[in-house]
Amino acid sequence: MLCTRCRIRTAVTDDGLCTFCSGTRPPPPDGAAPLVAGSAPLSGPVPGGWGAGTGDAGTWPGAPVGLSRAVIVLLACVIASDLFAIGAGLHLRGLWEALAADEYLDTYTGPGLRAHELYDLARKVRTAAFLPTGILFILWFHRTRRNAEVFASGVQRMGPGWAVGGWFVPVANLWLPYRVAGGIWEASVLPHPDGGRRTAPRTVLNLWWGGWVVSVLVSRIAVGQWNRSWEPEEIVDAAALVAAADALDLVSAVLAVVFVRAVTRMQVERAAYRPAPAPAVPGAHR
């Protein structure tokens, strides 16, 4: 069961809280110490309790926990709409396949008409799910990029504005957001207790981005083929490709959920830690 407060880590207490939110977390490794209100951060003022959802909005954009929950819910809607579209598309493909074998069948009356109406409805539902999801995801993405500027501005290759604008640049949107995401990922990794940077495997980041790019490219090819298809055999092939594109979009949405959860968890934990105090040097105050 997930924590009832942050919805990210596993609940361990009787009231449904994780070790972080309940304040029972054991000491962090390598001598790092948890951040408390008023303690000194790695760089710049850090609000106490930021990871639990509070903080100084004037200094920090804020924890992305709430936005991540909303994004994940909408991504689940996208996954459901993809399943609907795949089923409707394959059903329609079956009717056109029968027409290709028997030219006297009519796909525009009776069951054929209902199959077309169901397919059109599925495409509308998919669009209705995708648009708000895209908007909220970009808002979450921009929030995490602003947080990354506070964590480690020196590793950012793209300005915060590119977290939004990069998605709308033709062709370049297949690469620019990934560069922004790379900076977010690097900045969100817990630092070494001595203040040095750590690196984390980019497996989740790369899988998410690779899945999204493949899904976009295959979808464009599938839509183009569908629009150019007139003969029953052509429509059968195009419908199969469209269903495959919808399946890839479903996989991409699942990977996006994993990515959102991973970055949100990293940023919450990154904001909650500071380096362990340096040991006192004997005779330093004499």
Side-chain angles (χ1 to χ4, degrees), residues 89-90 92-93 96 119 225-226 229 234-244:
L90 291 177
L92 183 62
R93 178 182 181 274
W96 279 99
Y119 181 74
Q225 183 171 335
W226 176 265
S229 300
E234 295 175 340
I235 294 176
V236 168
D237 293 339
L241 186 57
V242 170

PDB file of all heavy atoms in Angstrom, residues 89-90 92-93 96 119 225-226 229 234-244:
ATOM      1  N   GLY A  89     -10.687  -0.581 -33.367  1.00  0.00           N
ATOM      2  CA  GLY A  89      -9.970  -0.632 -34.632  1.00  0.00           C
ATOM      3  C   GLY A  89      -9.857  -2.047 -35.182  1.00  0.00           C
ATOM      4  O   GLY A  89     -10.029  -2.275 -36.384  1.00  0.00           O
ATOM      5  N   LEU A  90      -9.557  -2.994 -34.298  1.00  0.00           N
ATOM      6  CA  LEU A  90      -9.444  -4.381 -34.751  1.00  0.00           C
ATOM      7  C   LEU A  90     -10.799  -4.933 -35.189  1.00  0.00           C
ATOM      8  O   LEU A  90     -10.890  -5.738 -36.138  1.00  0.00           O
ATOM      9  CB  LEU A  90      -8.850  -5.246 -33.639  1.00  0.00           C
ATOM     10  CG  LEU A  90      -7.375  -4.972 -33.313  1.00  0.00           C
ATOM     11  CD1 LEU A  90      -6.922  -5.848 -32.153  1.00  0.00           C
ATOM     12  CD2 LEU A  90      -6.488  -5.196 -34.538  1.00  0.00           C
ATOM     13  N   LEU A  92     -13.240  -3.137 -36.547  1.00  0.00           N
ATOM     14  CA  LEU A  92     -13.479  -2.547 -37.864  1.00  0.00           C
ATOM     15  C   LEU A  92     -12.615  -3.217 -38.930  1.00  0.00           C
ATOM     16  O   LEU A  92     -13.059  -3.460 -40.057  1.00  0.00           O
ATOM     17  CB  LEU A  92     -13.204  -1.045 -37.815  1.00  0.00           C
ATOM     18  CG  LEU A  92     -13.479  -0.257 -39.102  1.00  0.00           C
ATOM     19  CD1 LEU A  92     -14.957  -0.344 -39.477  1.00  0.00           C
ATOM     20  CD2 LEU A  92     -13.065   1.200 -38.936  1.00  0.00           C
ATOM     21  N   ARG A  93     -11.381  -3.521 -38.572  1.00  0.00           N
ATOM     22  CA  ARG A  93     -10.492  -4.201 -39.519  1.00  0.00           C
ATOM     23  C   ARG A  93     -11.068  -5.554 -39.931  1.00  0.00           C
ATOM     24  O   ARG A  93     -10.983  -5.960 -41.106  1.00  0.00           O
ATOM     25  CB  ARG A  93      -9.115  -4.386 -38.893  1.00  0.00           C
ATOM     26  CG  ARG A  93      -8.122  -5.122 -39.788  1.00  0.00           C
ATOM     27  CD  ARG A  93      -6.790  -5.319 -39.081  1.00  0.00           C
ATOM     28  NE  ARG A  93      -5.832  -6.001 -39.948  1.00  0.00           N
ATOM     29  CZ  ARG A  93      -5.745  -7.324 -40.070  1.00  0.00           C
ATOM     30  NH1 ARG A  93      -6.568  -8.092 -39.358  1.00  0.00           N
ATOM     31  NH2 ARG A  93      -4.853  -7.866 -40.883  1.00  0.00           N
ATOM     32  N   TRP A  96     -13.687  -5.061 -42.654  1.00  0.00           N
ATOM     33  CA  TRP A  96     -13.099  -4.751 -43.954  1.00  0.00           C
ATOM     34  C   TRP A  96     -12.370  -5.954 -44.527  1.00  0.00           C
ATOM     35  O   TRP A  96     -12.292  -6.127 -45.748  1.00  0.00           O
ATOM     36  CB  TRP A  96     -12.150  -3.554 -43.830  1.00  0.00           C
ATOM     37  CG  TRP A  96     -12.879  -2.249 -43.834  1.00  0.00           C
ATOM     38  CD1 TRP A  96     -13.212  -1.496 -42.765  1.00  0.00           C
ATOM     39  CD2 TRP A  96     -13.384  -1.578 -44.985  1.00  0.00           C
ATOM     40  NE1 TRP A  96     -13.899  -0.369 -43.157  1.00  0.00           N
ATOM     41  CE2 TRP A  96     -14.012  -0.391 -44.532  1.00  0.00           C
ATOM     42  CE3 TRP A  96     -13.372  -1.837 -46.358  1.00  0.00           C
ATOM     43  CZ2 TRP A  96     -14.623   0.519 -45.389  1.00  0.00           C
ATOM     44  CZ3 TRP A  96     -13.977  -0.937 -47.223  1.00  0.00           C
ATOM     45  CH2 TRP A  96     -14.588   0.222 -46.744  1.00  0.00           C
ATOM     46  N   TYR A 119     -15.700   3.102 -33.855  1.00  0.00           N
ATOM     47  CA  TYR A 119     -14.319   3.488 -34.112  1.00  0.00           C
ATOM     48  C   TYR A 119     -14.155   5.007 -34.028  1.00  0.00           C
ATOM     49  O   TYR A 119     -13.192   5.503 -33.434  1.00  0.00           O
ATOM     50  CB  TYR A 119     -13.897   2.990 -35.492  1.00  0.00           C
ATOM     51  CG  TYR A 119     -12.470   3.325 -35.854  1.00  0.00           C
ATOM     52  CD1 TYR A 119     -11.409   2.636 -35.274  1.00  0.00           C
ATOM     53  CD2 TYR A 119     -12.179   4.342 -36.762  1.00  0.00           C
ATOM     54  CE1 TYR A 119     -10.097   2.938 -35.592  1.00  0.00           C
ATOM     55  CE2 TYR A 119     -10.874   4.651 -37.088  1.00  0.00           C
ATOM     56  CZ  TYR A 119      -9.841   3.952 -36.512  1.00  0.00           C
ATOM     57  OH  TYR A 119      -8.539   4.266 -36.821  1.00  0.00           O
ATOM     58  N   GLN A 225      -1.046   6.454 -43.749  1.00  0.00           N
ATOM     59  CA  GLN A 225      -1.476   5.301 -44.536  1.00  0.00           C
ATOM     60  C   GLN A 225      -2.989   5.141 -44.499  1.00  0.00           C
ATOM     61  O   GLN A 225      -3.609   4.793 -45.509  1.00  0.00           O
ATOM     62  CB  GLN A 225      -0.796   4.030 -44.025  1.00  0.00           C
ATOM     63  CG  GLN A 225      -1.139   2.780 -44.838  1.00  0.00           C
ATOM     64  CD  GLN A 225      -0.286   1.591 -44.452  1.00  0.00           C
ATOM     65  OE1 GLN A 225       0.819   1.740 -43.946  1.00  0.00           O
ATOM     66  NE2 GLN A 225      -0.804   0.384 -44.677  1.00  0.00           N
ATOM     67  N   TRP A 226      -3.588   5.387 -43.347  1.00  0.00           N
ATOM     68  CA  TRP A 226      -5.055   5.280 -43.221  1.00  0.00           C
ATOM     69  C   TRP A 226      -5.752   6.295 -44.132  1.00  0.00           C
ATOM     70  O   TRP A 226      -6.733   5.963 -44.806  1.00  0.00           O
ATOM     71  CB  TRP A 226      -5.464   5.485 -41.776  1.00  0.00           C
ATOM     72  CG  TRP A 226      -6.947   5.482 -41.559  1.00  0.00           C
ATOM     73  CD1 TRP A 226      -7.777   6.555 -41.498  1.00  0.00           C
ATOM     74  CD2 TRP A 226      -7.778   4.328 -41.377  1.00  0.00           C
ATOM     75  NE1 TRP A 226      -9.070   6.166 -41.288  1.00  0.00           N
ATOM     76  CE2 TRP A 226      -9.101   4.802 -41.213  1.00  0.00           C
ATOM     77  CE3 TRP A 226      -7.536   2.955 -41.326  1.00  0.00           C
ATOM     78  CZ2 TRP A 226     -10.184   3.938 -41.000  1.00  0.00           C
ATOM     79  CZ3 TRP A 226      -8.620   2.097 -41.134  1.00  0.00           C
ATOM     80  CH2 TRP A 226      -9.911   2.597 -40.973  1.00  0.00           C
ATOM     81  N   SER A 229      -5.764   5.230 -47.831  1.00  0.00           N
ATOM     82  CA  SER A 229      -6.322   3.922 -48.163  1.00  0.00           C
ATOM     83  C   SER A 229      -7.758   4.049 -48.673  1.00  0.00           C
ATOM     84  O   SER A 229      -8.590   4.719 -48.042  1.00  0.00           O
ATOM     85  CB  SER A 229      -6.297   3.012 -46.928  1.00  0.00           C
ATOM     86  OG  SER A 229      -4.963   2.840 -46.476  1.00  0.00           O
ATOM     87  N   GLU A 234      -6.211  -2.279 -48.702  1.00  0.00           N
ATOM     88  CA  GLU A 234      -5.407  -1.191 -48.157  1.00  0.00           C
ATOM     89  C   GLU A 234      -5.906  -0.783 -46.777  1.00  0.00           C
ATOM     90  O   GLU A 234      -5.111  -0.513 -45.866  1.00  0.00           O
ATOM     91  CB  GLU A 234      -5.436   0.004 -49.100  1.00  0.00           C
ATOM     92  CG  GLU A 234      -4.797  -0.236 -50.455  1.00  0.00           C
ATOM     93  CD  GLU A 234      -4.954   0.939 -51.391  1.00  0.00           C
ATOM     94  OE1 GLU A 234      -5.862   1.772 -51.153  1.00  0.00           O
ATOM     95  OE2 GLU A 234      -4.179   1.035 -52.352  1.00  0.00           O
ATOM     96  N   ILE A 235      -7.229  -0.751 -46.631  1.00  0.00           N
ATOM     97  CA  ILE A 235      -7.809  -0.351 -45.343  1.00  0.00           C
ATOM     98  C   ILE A 235      -7.495  -1.394 -44.275  1.00  0.00           C
ATOM     99  O   ILE A 235      -7.220  -1.056 -43.106  1.00  0.00           O
ATOM    100  CB  ILE A 235      -9.328  -0.145 -45.484  1.00  0.00           C
ATOM    101  CG1 ILE A 235      -9.611   1.051 -46.405  1.00  0.00           C
ATOM    102  CG2 ILE A 235      -9.974   0.075 -44.118  1.00  0.00           C
ATOM    103  CD1 ILE A 235     -11.083   1.278 -46.677  1.00  0.00           C
ATOM    104  N   VAL A 236      -7.507  -2.663 -44.650  1.00  0.00           N
ATOM    105  CA  VAL A 236      -7.172  -3.733 -43.692  1.00  0.00           C
ATOM    106  C   VAL A 236      -5.747  -3.547 -43.180  1.00  0.00           C
ATOM    107  O   VAL A 236      -5.480  -3.630 -41.971  1.00  0.00           O
ATOM    108  CB  VAL A 236      -7.347  -5.112 -44.356  1.00  0.00           C
ATOM    109  CG1 VAL A 236      -6.728  -6.201 -43.477  1.00  0.00           C
ATOM    110  CG2 VAL A 236      -8.821  -5.413 -44.581  1.00  0.00           C
ATOM    111  N   ASP A 237      -4.803  -3.299 -44.087  1.00  0.00           N
ATOM    112  CA  ASP A 237      -3.414  -3.107 -43.691  1.00  0.00           C
ATOM    113  C   ASP A 237      -3.247  -1.845 -42.839  1.00  0.00           C
ATOM    114  O   ASP A 237      -2.515  -1.848 -41.840  1.00  0.00           O
ATOM    115  CB  ASP A 237      -2.522  -3.018 -44.923  1.00  0.00           C
ATOM    116  CG  ASP A 237      -2.453  -4.334 -45.687  1.00  0.00           C
ATOM    117  OD1 ASP A 237      -2.741  -5.377 -45.072  1.00  0.00           O
ATOM    118  OD2 ASP A 237      -2.122  -4.310 -46.890  1.00  0.00           O
ATOM    119  N   ALA A 238      -3.927  -0.760 -43.245  1.00  0.00           N
ATOM    120  CA  ALA A 238      -3.814   0.497 -42.503  1.00  0.00           C
ATOM    121  C   ALA A 238      -4.405   0.361 -41.107  1.00  0.00           C
ATOM    122  O   ALA A 238      -3.853   0.886 -40.131  1.00  0.00           O
ATOM    123  CB  ALA A 238      -4.507   1.620 -43.263  1.00  0.00           C
ATOM    124  N   ALA A 239      -5.533  -0.348 -40.990  1.00  0.00           N
ATOM    125  CA  ALA A 239      -6.168  -0.533 -39.680  1.00  0.00           C
ATOM    126  C   ALA A 239      -5.264  -1.320 -38.740  1.00  0.00           C
ATOM    127  O   ALA A 239      -5.208  -1.048 -37.533  1.00  0.00           O
ATOM    128  CB  ALA A 239      -7.512  -1.233 -39.840  1.00  0.00           C
ATOM    129  N   ALA A 240      -4.558  -2.295 -39.284  1.00  0.00           N
ATOM    130  CA  ALA A 240      -3.622  -3.067 -38.461  1.00  0.00           C
ATOM    131  C   ALA A 240      -2.490  -2.185 -37.967  1.00  0.00           C
ATOM    132  O   ALA A 240      -2.070  -2.281 -36.798  1.00  0.00           O
ATOM    133  CB  ALA A 240      -3.066  -4.246 -39.266  1.00  0.00           C
ATOM    134  N   LEU A 241      -1.989  -1.307 -38.833  1.00  0.00           N
ATOM    135  CA  LEU A 241      -0.907  -0.412 -38.432  1.00  0.00           C
ATOM    136  C   LEU A 241      -1.385   0.603 -37.395  1.00  0.00           C
ATOM    137  O   LEU A 241      -0.657   0.932 -36.445  1.00  0.00           O
ATOM    138  CB  LEU A 241      -0.346   0.314 -39.662  1.00  0.00           C
ATOM    139  CG  LEU A 241       0.882   1.192 -39.434  1.00  0.00           C
ATOM    140  CD1 LEU A 241       2.022   0.382 -38.825  1.00  0.00           C
ATOM    141  CD2 LEU A 241       1.325   1.853 -40.736  1.00  0.00           C
ATOM    142  N   VAL A 242      -2.622   1.102 -37.563  1.00  0.00           N
ATOM    143  CA  VAL A 242      -3.181   2.039 -36.579  1.00  0.00           C
ATOM    144  C   VAL A 242      -3.319   1.358 -35.223  1.00  0.00           C
ATOM    145  O   VAL A 242      -3.017   1.953 -34.171  1.00  0.00           O
ATOM    146  CB  VAL A 242      -4.536   2.591 -37.064  1.00  0.00           C
ATOM    147  CG1 VAL A 242      -5.225   3.361 -35.942  1.00  0.00           C
ATOM    148  CG2 VAL A 242      -4.356   3.486 -38.277  1.00  0.00           C
ATOM    149  N   ALA A 243      -3.770   0.110 -35.197  1.00  0.00           N
ATOM    150  CA  ALA A 243      -3.893  -0.624 -33.929  1.00  0.00           C
ATOM    151  C   ALA A 243      -2.530  -0.815 -33.284  1.00  0.00           C
ATOM    152  O   ALA A 243      -2.385  -0.705 -32.049  1.00  0.00           O
ATOM    153  CB  ALA A 243      -4.568  -1.974 -34.174  1.00  0.00           C
ATOM    154  N   ALA A 244      -1.502  -1.088 -34.107  1.00  0.00           N
ATOM    155  CA  ALA A 244      -0.146  -1.228 -33.565  1.00  0.00           C
ATOM    156  C   ALA A 244       0.340   0.090 -32.982  1.00  0.00           C
ATOM    157  O   ALA A 244       0.993   0.119 -31.925  1.00  0.00           O
ATOM    158  CB  ALA A 244       0.803  -1.704 -34.664  1.00  0.00           C
TER     159      ALA A 244
END
